[in-house]
PDB file of all heavy atoms in Angstrom:
ATOM      1  N   LYS U  59     -12.653  29.796   0.063  1.00  0.00           N
ATOM      2  CA  LYS U  59     -13.867  30.322   0.745  1.00  0.00           C
ATOM      3  C   LYS U  59     -14.842  29.193   1.064  1.00  0.00           C
ATOM      4  O   LYS U  59     -15.523  29.206   2.106  1.00  0.00           O
ATOM      5  CB  LYS U  59     -14.565  31.366  -0.143  1.00  0.00           C
ATOM      6  CG  LYS U  59     -13.956  32.770   0.000  1.00  0.00           C
ATOM      7  CD  LYS U  59     -14.747  33.772  -0.800  1.00  0.00           C
ATOM      8  CE  LYS U  59     -15.886  34.441  -0.034  1.00  0.00           C
ATOM      9  NZ  LYS U  59     -15.466  35.361   0.978  1.00  0.00           N
ATOM     10  N   GLY U  95      -5.903  20.223  -4.285  1.00  0.00           N
ATOM     11  CA  GLY U  95      -6.857  19.175  -3.979  1.00  0.00           C
ATOM     12  C   GLY U  95      -7.782  19.581  -2.847  1.00  0.00           C
ATOM     13  O   GLY U  95      -7.584  20.556  -2.143  1.00  0.00           O
ATOM     14  N   LYS U 164     -32.581  25.262  -0.538  1.00  0.00           N
ATOM     15  CA  LYS U 164     -33.081  26.437   0.150  1.00  0.00           C
ATOM     16  C   LYS U 164     -31.923  27.095   0.939  1.00  0.00           C
ATOM     17  O   LYS U 164     -31.733  28.330   0.949  1.00  0.00           O
ATOM     18  CB  LYS U 164     -34.210  26.072   1.104  1.00  0.00           C
ATOM     19  CG  LYS U 164     -34.758  27.174   1.978  1.00  0.00           C
ATOM     20  CD  LYS U 164     -35.850  26.703   2.911  1.00  0.00           C
ATOM     21  CE  LYS U 164     -35.367  25.955   4.108  1.00  0.00           C
ATOM     22  NZ  LYS U 164     -36.415  25.713   5.119  1.00  0.00           N
ATOM     23  N   ILE U 195     -19.949  20.064  -4.245  1.00  0.00           N
ATOM     24  CA  ILE U 195     -20.082  21.391  -3.682  1.00  0.00           C
ATOM     25  C   ILE U 195     -19.032  22.344  -4.173  1.00  0.00           C
ATOM     26  O   ILE U 195     -19.182  23.560  -4.147  1.00  0.00           O
ATOM     27  CB  ILE U 195     -20.086  21.303  -2.118  1.00  0.00           C
ATOM     28  CG1 ILE U 195     -21.262  20.494  -1.600  1.00  0.00           C
ATOM     29  CG2 ILE U 195     -20.032  22.661  -1.452  1.00  0.00           C
ATOM     30  CD1 ILE U 195     -22.620  21.110  -1.771  1.00  0.00           C
ATOM     31  N   PRO U 205     -17.826  32.813 -11.060  1.00  0.00           N
ATOM     32  CA  PRO U 205     -18.724  32.325 -12.110  1.00  0.00           C
ATOM     33  C   PRO U 205     -18.767  30.785 -12.138  1.00  0.00           C
ATOM     34  O   PRO U 205     -17.928  30.122 -11.546  1.00  0.00           O
ATOM     35  CB  PRO U 205     -18.124  32.891 -13.408  1.00  0.00           C
ATOM     36  CG  PRO U 205     -16.671  32.987 -13.070  1.00  0.00           C
ATOM     37  CD  PRO U 205     -16.568  33.309 -11.603  1.00  0.00           C
ATOM     38  N   HIS U 256     -39.415  12.354 -17.442  1.00  0.00           N
ATOM     39  CA  HIS U 256     -38.914  13.736 -17.564  1.00  0.00           C
ATOM     40  C   HIS U 256     -40.041  14.662 -17.999  1.00  0.00           C
ATOM     41  O   HIS U 256     -40.826  14.330 -18.886  1.00  0.00           O
ATOM     42  CB  HIS U 256     -37.747  13.800 -18.623  1.00  0.00           C
ATOM     43  CG  HIS U 256     -36.949  15.065 -18.511  1.00  0.00           C
ATOM     44  ND1 HIS U 256     -37.397  16.275 -19.066  1.00  0.00           N
ATOM     45  CD2 HIS U 256     -35.773  15.344 -17.899  1.00  0.00           C
ATOM     46  CE1 HIS U 256     -36.537  17.214 -18.799  1.00  0.00           C
ATOM     47  NE2 HIS U 256     -35.528  16.656 -18.087  1.00  0.00           N
ATOM     48  N   ARG U 279     -37.586  25.934 -27.282  1.00  0.00           N
ATOM     49  CA  ARG U 279     -38.988  25.535 -27.500  1.00  0.00           C
ATOM     50  C   ARG U 279     -39.490  24.496 -26.437  1.00  0.00           C
ATOM     51  O   ARG U 279     -40.418  23.738 -26.732  1.00  0.00           O
ATOM     52  CB  ARG U 279     -39.150  24.931 -28.894  1.00  0.00           C
ATOM     53  CG  ARG U 279     -38.877  25.975 -29.971  1.00  0.00           C
ATOM     54  CD  ARG U 279     -39.243  25.480 -31.338  1.00  0.00           C
ATOM     55  NE  ARG U 279     -38.581  26.213 -32.377  1.00  0.00           N
ATOM     56  CZ  ARG U 279     -38.379  25.762 -33.611  1.00  0.00           C
ATOM     57  NH1 ARG U 279     -38.821  24.573 -33.938  1.00  0.00           N
ATOM     58  NH2 ARG U 279     -37.771  26.484 -34.483  1.00  0.00           N
ATOM     59  N   ASN U 414     -55.459   4.395  10.261  1.00  0.00           N
ATOM     60  CA  ASN U 414     -55.265   3.740  11.564  1.00  0.00           C
ATOM     61  C   ASN U 414     -53.840   3.948  12.042  1.00  0.00           C
ATOM     62  O   ASN U 414     -52.872   3.694  11.301  1.00  0.00           O
ATOM     63  CB  ASN U 414     -55.576   2.262  11.417  1.00  0.00           C
ATOM     64  CG  ASN U 414     -55.920   1.624  12.727  1.00  0.00           C
ATOM     65  OD1 ASN U 414     -56.512   2.297  13.619  1.00  0.00           O
ATOM     66  ND2 ASN U 414     -55.506   0.392  12.958  1.00  0.00           N
ATOM     67  N   VAL U 476     -61.774  11.085  21.687  1.00  0.00           N
ATOM     68  CA  VAL U 476     -62.975  11.755  21.163  1.00  0.00           C
ATOM     69  C   VAL U 476     -63.308  11.101  19.801  1.00  0.00           C
ATOM     70  O   VAL U 476     -62.452  10.837  18.999  1.00  0.00           O
ATOM     71  CB  VAL U 476     -62.800  13.296  20.997  1.00  0.00           C
ATOM     72  CG1 VAL U 476     -61.602  13.617  20.122  1.00  0.00           C
ATOM     73  CG2 VAL U 476     -64.049  13.971  20.470  1.00  0.00           C
TER      74      VAL U 476
END
Side-chain angles (χ1 to χ4, degrees):
K59 277 185 87 75
K164 175 181 79 170
I195 295 292
H256 195 281
R279 296 191 201 158
N414 202 34
V476 56

